[in-house]
Amino acid sequence: MNKIGVIFDLDGVIVDTAKYHFLAWKDLADELGFEFTEKHNELLKGVSRVRSLEILLDIGNVELSETKKQDYLISKNEVYLGYITKMGPDEILPGANALLNTLDALGIQYVLGSASKNAPLILKQVGLYERFTGIVDGNSVSQAKPDPEVFLIGAEKLGLAPENCIVFEDAIAGVEAANSANMTSVGIGDEDILHEADFNFNNLTEIPSDFFLKVISEKILKNDEPGLYKTK
Ligand code: BG6
Ligand code: MG
């Protein structure tokens, strides 16, 4: 079946790496002498490493030279790498493997669309790298989410028009990127935060097994029947 394709965000959708980003950024905030909380960390989800540092420095009201910023970007990533190089398949989030199996069974292809420059390493660590038809990561884009570039390149890799792509995202910036790319957006996580998504689920285990067939009939084939799952 080649009518639709899926683009997955990585951090927070396939694996729970937000906790490792948090610990690595918190190390830096501690060194710079200000408090950085899990609530602050929400602001960093989905945004690039460089932008994350800018947001962090704003939170701490700290100004740094460009050279210092570059040093901290490197040291933050070294701390983060210390965590992710210990990851294994047990850190794949619940429902992710089953969802990929469903897509394989339906013959629906999927690619990765992540802001992370570490995405290929993480996928290899958890043993999922080979399953994706293509990988679009922080190294492949010039514009970070909420710019739709990452997902538009993903659609090209799938050989599909953007409107035939479904994006799974846990970050507001990612949902906005999917919406502005004219794709179907699926928010994974808190609906209050991700209310701009076309569909919302708390996690991947909640995706009904016939979800993709329903999306094809409701969105792609523009069936007029009232939607079963469409939440808005
Ligand atoms: C995103 C994360 O997937 O990747 C962000 O949600 C992170 O929190 C961004 O800043 C960049 O990641 P990396 O691995 O390139 O530092
Ligand atoms: Mg994410």
Side-chain angles (χ1 to χ4, degrees):
M1 185 190 299
N2 211 11
K3 283 193 179 69
I4 61 165
V6 175
I7 306 178
F8 286 101
D9 175 47
L10 177 66
D11 296 316
V13 173
I14 306 276
V15 286
D16 180 18
T17 37
K19 61 188 177 201
Y20 299 136
H21 280 296
F22 172 67
L23 291 171
W25 287 125
K26 192 171 163 17
D27 261 17
L28 177 54
D30 288 348
E31 190 181 328
L32 294 170
F34 63 88
E35 199 189 0
F36 179 67
T37 64
E38 300 229 19
K39 198 166 170 220
H40 289 139
N41 196 48
E42 285 298 311
L43 302 171
L44 274 46
K45 286 187 179 172
V47 301
S48 69
R49 194 182 308 166
V50 172
R51 182 75 193 117
S52 295
L53 177 63
E54 286 168 3
I55 296 170
L56 183 96
L57 295 177
D58 277 351
I59 292 166
N61 214 3
V62 173
E63 280 189 28
L64 293 177
S65 67
E66 275 312 308
T67 318
K68 255 313 187 200
K69 283 186 197 169
Q70 289 307 320
D71 290 348
Y72 283 132
L73 286 170
I74 292 167
S75 59
K76 182 269 170 180
N77 198 50
E78 280 168 359
V79 175
Y80 182 61
L81 282 171
Y83 292 113
I84 60 174
T85 50
K86 292 189 191 76
M87 288 177 77
D90 54 319
E91 293 196 58
I92 297 171
L93 281 168
N97 266 315
L99 190 60
L100 299 187
N101 291 343
T102 299
L103 291 169
D104 287 344
L106 290 168
I108 297 175
Q109 291 194 324
Y110 44 89
V111 297
L112 196 81
S114 168
S116 172
K117 294 186 172 178
N118 294 301
L121 170 64
I122 295 169
L123 283 182
K124 283 174 193 159
Q125 287 287 136
V126 301
L128 290 179
Y129 186 81
E130 301 296 337
R131 294 193 70 169
F132 287 77
T133 295
I135 309 282
V136 191
D137 64 17
N139 302 294
S140 345
V141 293
S142 57
Q143 302 293 323
K145 300 171 188 175
D147 188 281
E149 184 185 12
V150 60
F151 296 142
L152 292 173
I153 299 174
E156 275 171 28
K157 287 197 186 280
L158 288 165
L160 292 171
E163 54 269 31
N164 289 6
C165 297
I166 304 171
V167 173
F168 285 79
E169 256 294 346
D170 72 315
I172 303 167
V175 168
E176 287 173 356
N179 290 346
S180 61
N182 202 19
M183 298 178 176
T184 297
S185 54
V186 184
I188 301 298
D190 189 340
E191 183 170 356
D192 289 341
I193 297 174
L194 303 173
H195 54 84
E196 286 178 31
D198 294 319
F199 300 89
N200 289 92
F201 299 100
N202 290 312
N203 58 60
L204 296 182
T205 67
E206 290 186 359
I207 314 274
S209 55
D210 60 350
F211 176 73
F212 297 101
L213 298 176
K214 291 300 296 180
V215 173
I216 290 169
S217 70
E218 288 176 18
K219 172 119 182 164
I220 312 297
L221 299 181
K222 313 237 182 301
N223 189 328
D224 287 337
E225 302 260 319
L228 260 188
Y229 300 121
K230 192 107 166 75
T231 50
K232 57 203 63 151

